[in-house]
Amino acid sequence: MSSIIEFSGTVLTGPVREHRGLWAVDGRLTFKRPSAAPDVVLDGWVIPGLVDAHCHIGLGPGGDVPEQIAEDQARTDRDAGILLVRDAGAVHDTRWIQQRSELPRIIRAGRHIARTRRYLRGLAVEVEPEDLVEAVRKQARAGDGWVKLVGDWIDRDAGDLAASFPARSVKDAVQAAHDEGARVTAHCFAEDTLDDMLDAGIDCIEHGTGLLQRHLPRFVEQGVPIVPTLINIATFPDIAARAEAKFPRYAAHMHSLWELRAERILEAYEAGVSIYAGTDAGSVIQHGRIVDELEALHAAGLPAGAALDAAGWAARDWLGAETITEGASADVLVCAEDPRRNLATLRDLRNIVLRGELVRPGVPAH
């Protein structure tokens, strides 16, 4: 590891804050010039490592994957500039990633919690309402301060999306997680599910495709953010097409949610709802696609700087992670251009620095 790295370009300490003069000394950032000469000088626009706020390291299209594939997924994310992952559910315990200095930092959520036979096979802890609270307590203790609920899924008897659990059970479960010191996030596609989640005191919503005008004031007042996963929502037409013959109501519903995806996210942003960037990588979505997600947020109407903030300073603050501050871990990216004005520059990063070490993409650094 280089003992001293000098960053000679513009340093973005926030979405609108610029600074000149930054060094990494023994893996820690400082704004004070060291007495010794730098070992490496890196030039360009400096930003904190990106956050993927909805990611599944350890899952693949068929569900659980071996540890070596999970490691490859983590490295793919790292090489795309993702230096912090908020796990949104995995089958096996991935805390071993936290012991690997060359892999991204990870905040784990344990396993998904779903209703019996109401989710993708083999991924979740499946329970009935009377067992939900205990399942939440167990996953809260197994993770790093987050619990993931499957808030809704197709009800084959009804032929459409429906809430996974009764509202009372959800409220008790969220309270149980809070008692354990954990926050709760929930997979939510449908409109009515959001009412139950907000009533329960949920801490975050994944996808949020059913967002309606009536929900917006409550999201703002309760401080509940949304992680839209727009590149995952882009798969809804394919899901609808496959379901059309057997479940036409569900297919029509999924297609209508897809059609309104950009409009609803822009309305949320303009109303003051916090939006964070997540790819949902790990099942049908490939890892390392955070720039695709940022560009999708921008295409939906968010300014480029706001889209960047959704995976940058704001996302790190929300998760309690360090940004570019005195003494913080040197987890930063160096870009050729100002990424607030050109998100595409994130596709060809000049440098990635993780824990003060220059990363060589694609190469393990044991």
Side-chain angles (χ1 to χ4, degrees), residues 49 56 76 88 95 103 118 121 174 201 235 259 282 313 359 363:
H56 302 279
T76 296
R95 71 181 70 233
L103 299 180
R118 291 280 303 281
R121 186 177 302 173
V174 171
T235 68
E259 287 182 326
W313 309 271
V359 170
V363 178

Side-chain angles (χ1 to χ4, degrees), residues 23-317:
W23 294 262
V25 179
D26 294 331
R28 293 284 166 183
L29 296 174
T30 181
F31 299 113
K32 303 171 185 175
R33 181 182 293 274
S35 57
D39 299 284
V40 178
V41 178
L42 305 179
D43 183 53
W45 294 79
V46 182
I47 62 171
L50 298 175
V51 176
D52 189 335
H54 185 130
C55 191
H56 302 279
I57 295 175
L59 293 184
D64 194 27
V65 299
E67 188 171 304
Q68 181 57 57
I69 294 179
E71 180 179 335
D72 292 343
Q73 292 172 341
R75 191 173 294 114
T76 296
D77 287 331
R78 178 203 68 185
D79 293 351
I82 300 165
L83 303 187
L84 175 62
V85 166
R86 186 187 64 142
D87 165 58
V91 176
H92 283 116
D93 190 335
T94 54
R95 71 181 70 233
W96 57 270
I97 295 173
Q98 296 169 326
Q99 310 306 316
R100 298 282 295 275
S101 63
E102 80 279 13
L103 299 180
R105 301 179 188 277
I106 185 170
I107 299 171
R108 300 173 303 107
R111 294 188 69 174
H112 306 70
I113 303 173
R115 185 73 174 266
T116 309
R117 293 185 293 280
R118 291 280 303 281
Y119 195 52
L120 298 170
R121 186 177 302 173
L123 294 191
V125 174
E126 297 186 3
V127 298
E128 288 300 289
E130 60 270 22
D131 298 318
L132 180 60
V133 166
E134 185 55 36
V136 163
R137 290 190 183 280
K138 182 176 180 179
Q139 295 307 314
R141 294 165 187 165
D144 300 323
W146 282 95
V147 173
K148 169 72 174 294
L149 298 180
V150 178
D152 55 30
W153 198 250
I154 184 172
D155 182 331
R156 288 168 175 79
D157 292 334
D160 199 0
L161 290 168
S164 301
F165 299 100
R168 180 71 251 180
S169 299
V170 173
K171 190 167 188 177
D172 291 344
V174 171
Q175 184 59 56
H178 291 171
D179 290 345
E180 296 287 341
R183 290 185 280 182
V184 183
T185 192
H187 161 112
C188 296
F189 286 165
E191 294 84 353
D192 293 344
T193 313
L194 295 177
D195 297 289
D196 291 349
M197 294 298 166
L198 291 167
D199 288 346
I202 199 79
D203 301 289
C204 181
I205 291 293
E206 312 298 316
H207 317 302
T209 48
L211 190 69
L212 300 175
Q213 285 290 331
R214 73 168 186 262
H215 297 130
L216 294 176
R218 299 192 64 191
F219 270 87
V220 175
E221 291 164 9
Q222 295 178 218
V224 179
I226 298 173
V227 182
T229 68
L230 289 176
I231 61 173
N232 183 3
I233 294 169
T235 68
F236 279 18
D238 289 339
I239 295 171
R242 293 196 302 270
E244 174 67 34
K246 194 171 182 180
F247 301 109
R249 284 180 55 207
Y250 168 74
H253 196 175
M254 293 294 283
H255 202 274
S256 69
L257 294 173
W258 171 77
E259 287 182 326
L260 294 169
R261 67 200 185 284
E263 176 185 327
R264 286 175 168 174
I265 289 305
L266 181 58
E267 287 175 349
Y269 169 75
E270 292 179 338
V273 179
S274 295
I275 306 293
Y276 299 117
T279 64
D280 208 353
S283 54
V284 297
I285 304 299
Q286 294 295 313
H287 283 263
R289 293 189 59 193
I290 190 63
V291 183
D292 290 341
E293 183 65 22
L294 298 187
E295 290 182 340
L297 289 170
H298 184 37
L302 273 65
L308 178 63
D309 201 18
W313 309 271
R316 284 179 166 270
D317 287 343

Side-chain angles (χ1 to χ4, degrees), residues 2-12 19-34 38-48 83 324 328-335 350-358:
S2 300
S3 58
I4 300 178
I5 300 174
E6 179 179 352
F7 301 95
S8 63
T10 301
V11 180
L12 300 179
H19 184 83
R20 301 287 296 203
L22 180 70
W23 294 262
V25 179
D26 294 331
R28 293 284 166 183
L29 296 174
T30 181
F31 299 113
K32 303 171 185 175
R33 181 182 293 274
D39 299 284
V40 178
V41 178
L42 305 179
D43 183 53
W45 294 79
V46 182
I47 62 171
L83 303 187
I324 299 179
S329 178
D331 299 352
V332 298
L333 309 177
V334 183
C335 308
R350 282 188 174 176
N351 303 104
I352 300 171
V353 179
L354 176 59
R355 298 178 175 91
E357 183 172 358
L358 273 168

